[in-house]
Amino acid sequence: VNHKDYMCDRTPWGVELVSLEDLLHRSDYVTLHAPGGAENQHLIDADRLALMKSTAFLVNTARGRPVAARLLG
């Protein structure tokens, strides 16, 4: 599955596009690949982190601060 800001059913490659909340709820691994900027700052906050499975991994390779720093302990 993949998250995009726009919604449609599927890409030409058969990848299902879902809301960010659905992606976080369903995934075992979430990787962030986003440019820096205000629109991506704190993309992952406490509420969204709580949607993830307790066994899931969040891998942040994005620039900027997409994960709220207070969550990183």
Side-chain angles (χ1 to χ4, degrees):
V1 294
N2 188 24
H3 163 69
K4 292 300 250 180
D5 289 335
Y6 57 91
M7 296 297 296
C8 63
D9 291 337
R10 294 199 176 269
T11 68
W13 308 280
V15 175
E16 181 182 2
L17 298 177
V18 298
S19 69
L20 179 56
E21 289 74 17
D22 192 27
L23 181 137
L24 292 171
H25 179 73
R26 294 169 55 177
S27 298
D28 294 315
Y29 295 88
V30 176
T31 61
L32 300 177
H33 309 272
E39 68 276 3
N40 293 322
Q41 187 170 353
H42 300 165
L43 181 66
I44 304 297
D45 58 14
D47 291 335
R48 286 184 169 155
L49 193 62
L51 295 174
M52 295 179 69
K53 300 174 187 177
S54 63
T55 55
F57 289 86
L58 175 63
V59 180
N60 179 19
T61 62
R63 295 187 175 266
R65 296 185 178 149
V67 180
R70 69 187 187 312
L71 299 177
L72 301 178

